[in-house]
Amino acid sequence: MTESNPTAAPVVQPGEVTFSLATEAEVDAVVALVQAAYRGEVSRQGWTSEADLLDGQRTDPAMVRELLATPGAHILLVRHQADLVGCCELRHLSEARRAYLGMFAVDPARQGQGLGSAVLAEAERIARGEWGTTHLELTVIDVRDDLLAWYRSRGYELTGETAPFPYGDERFGIPRRDDLRFVKLARELRRPTRWETDTGEGHAQWYIERFRAMAAQGDDLAGEARFIHALVPRASRILDAGCGPGRVGGELHALGHQVVGVDVDPELIAAAEADHPGPHWMVGD
């Protein structure tokens, strides 16, 4: 299944859209966009409509504000020529290296222009490149064969997990049938590294605290950095690949070099940013 709208304008190009994270000031606009994409007669302009399955609301301002206040959660917005045309919820899950995509909506009058694909690609980039997650998960009502096919065409596979529809909670809509349930899909964004698979959960924090404790008791941790400093010209541009919590890159920055540090583990990068401000720290493989 592809995005289809016979009256849609030509497909937008990557440089024609801009992305941002929603703020409190944009709550009402997000609610209106999501409602238009899924519920009521307006939604029938596009193919994502749930009007035959559910009446009532898809979300409301209180639910969106609650999401904005949730640690690790964002609402990603996409604009085309300054118009808000798409959004999604992106949440870093407590389960290691997994993220959740929800509230995915595109203006029904603008569907078929590639905006949904653009939102999905940017969400995947954030989850993989900034959070270091290995899998992105989402749920779809199981009778939405067209939507399931669209996600599967983009690499998402059914996990076999299901969840009941919240019957009786009108915040999520008023069902027109009694057999609705959610199915979970997931896509592997990247394969775990040996660091992640061989060391197990909690190892990154142990590694961070080990070097913090050594620094606190006065141990000399800068030998590697001094060695590199002696070999390269002054004010060199240095890539610290596999930078960990940043002790080498941080010292090289203090010695006057321009440092970019990259590590696949977001916990290590967070520690580098906290303990060694100055270099440019990035989650990446």
Side-chain angles (χ1 to χ4, degrees):
M1 180 71 189
T2 58
E3 296 171 85
S4 59
N5 185 339
T7 63
V11 173
V12 298
Q13 300 303 310
E16 298 176 347
V17 298
T18 57
F19 297 98
S20 63
L21 299 181
T23 65
E24 171 71 24
E26 293 159 315
V27 167
D28 290 341
V30 169
V31 172
L33 173 64
V34 173
Q35 188 72 9
Y38 287 98
R39 303 290 162 80
E41 290 304 310
V42 173
S43 70
R44 296 184 188 277
Q45 297 179 55
W47 66 275
T48 61
S49 174
E50 295 174 343
D52 291 330
L53 302 175
L54 296 144
D55 294 318
Q57 68 179 37
R58 175 63 171 77
T59 190
D60 59 32
M63 295 168 68
V64 174
R65 290 190 180 95
E66 181 181 356
L67 180 60
L68 288 177
T70 300
H74 300 299
I75 298 176
L76 176 66
L77 307 179
V78 59
R79 286 183 168 82
H80 182 244
Q81 298 178 345
D83 295 329
L84 178 62
V85 293
C87 71
C88 72
E89 166 195 352
L90 190 59
R91 183 158 28 101
H92 205 169
L93 299 176
S94 57
E95 296 87 345
R97 313 194 193 290
R98 303 183 84 85
Y100 174 78
L101 179 83
M103 208 168 67
F104 185 39
V106 172
D107 180 349
R110 305 290 296 273
Q111 292 178 16
Q113 300 178 28
L115 292 167
S117 296
V119 175
L120 189 60
E122 178 66 6
E124 292 173 348
R125 185 198 66 79
I126 293 171
R128 177 182 57 246
E130 297 184 17
W131 294 352
T133 52
T134 60
H135 291 79
L136 185 59
E137 303 174 351
L138 54 92
T139 58
V140 175
I141 295 176
D142 64 345
V143 295
R144 291 297 314 275
D145 293 336
D146 51 354
L147 193 54
L148 286 166
W150 187 83
Y151 280 119
R152 296 194 70 177
S153 73
R154 283 151 177 80
Y156 290 82
E157 294 296 335
L158 291 164
T159 67
E161 299 176 66
T162 63
F165 187 87
Y167 284 95
D169 190 343
E170 294 188 3
R171 295 180 305 161
F172 300 97
I174 304 170
R176 291 187 166 199
R177 48 194 291 180
D178 60 6
D179 61 344
L180 302 180
R181 65 173 184 167
F182 294 108
V183 291
K184 181 186 287 188
L185 298 93
R187 180 184 178 188
E188 184 179 71
L189 301 180
R190 65 174 182 83
R191 294 188 179 278
T193 64
R194 286 186 61 189
W195 165 269
E196 297 166 296
T197 57
D198 293 353
T199 57
E201 289 305 311
H203 184 79
Q205 195 59 42
W206 170 85
Y207 191 75
I208 293 164
E209 295 305 326
R210 175 192 177 200
F211 283 101
R212 283 175 174 170
M214 292 170 69
Q217 65 188 22
D219 291 350
D220 182 4
L221 304 178
E224 293 167 89
R226 289 196 300 271
F227 176 70
I228 296 168
H229 177 65
L231 296 177
V232 300
R234 300 300 175 260
S236 290
R237 297 170 61 209
I238 296 176
L239 171 65
D240 186 356
C243 62
R247 61 185 177 84
V248 176
E251 180 64 22
L252 286 168
H253 172 80
L255 290 169
H257 301 287
Q258 300 177 53
V259 178
V260 174
V262 181
D263 199 283
V264 73
D265 194 305
E267 288 187 74
L268 299 181
I269 290 297
E273 292 172 337
D275 296 351
H276 305 285
H280 180 49
W281 304 112
M282 301 174 60
V283 176
D285 188 346

